[in-house]
Amino acid sequence: MKVPVMFYVVLTTIMLVTLTIMVSMDLAFSWVFYTMCIGQLFVLIMVYKVLRDTYTTNKTFKDFYEDHPISQYENFR
């Protein structure tokens, strides 16, 4: 079973938000330190998974933004 790439992004985000909460609650240094080390490992894994993902799209730069068609801006030139 293939795990979606967004799972790694969400997992890393939750881990690092948890780290921020732990620091603000003034938890013991050892807990914060080990959580930080694991969080950095998660960041490396996330970056690797995102860069190695086989995501493809049929969009080009001519598509501009989907909510603001480029034809809307052609009148200003």
Side-chain angles (χ1 to χ4, degrees), residues 41-68:
L41 180 67
F42 281 2
V43 168
L44 291 174
I45 292 169
M46 178 194 66
V47 168
Y48 176 78
K49 294 290 186 177
V50 166
L51 291 176
R52 297 294 296 174
D53 190 34
T54 57
Y55 177 79
T56 58
T57 183
N58 56 0
K59 303 284 183 187
T60 64
F61 286 108
K62 289 187 176 189
D63 292 327
F64 201 53
Y65 295 103
E66 292 179 356
D67 57 343
H68 295 290

Side-chain angles (χ1 to χ4, degrees), residues 17-47:
V17 167
T18 302
L19 175 67
T20 305
I21 292 169
M22 290 171 68
V23 168
S24 67
M25 293 180 67
D26 202 23
L27 258 61
F29 176 76
S30 61
W31 284 95
V32 173
F33 177 75
Y34 292 126
T35 305
M36 180 197 65
C37 291
I38 293 169
Q40 289 178 353
L41 180 67
F42 281 2
V43 168
L44 291 174
I45 292 169
M46 178 194 66
V47 168

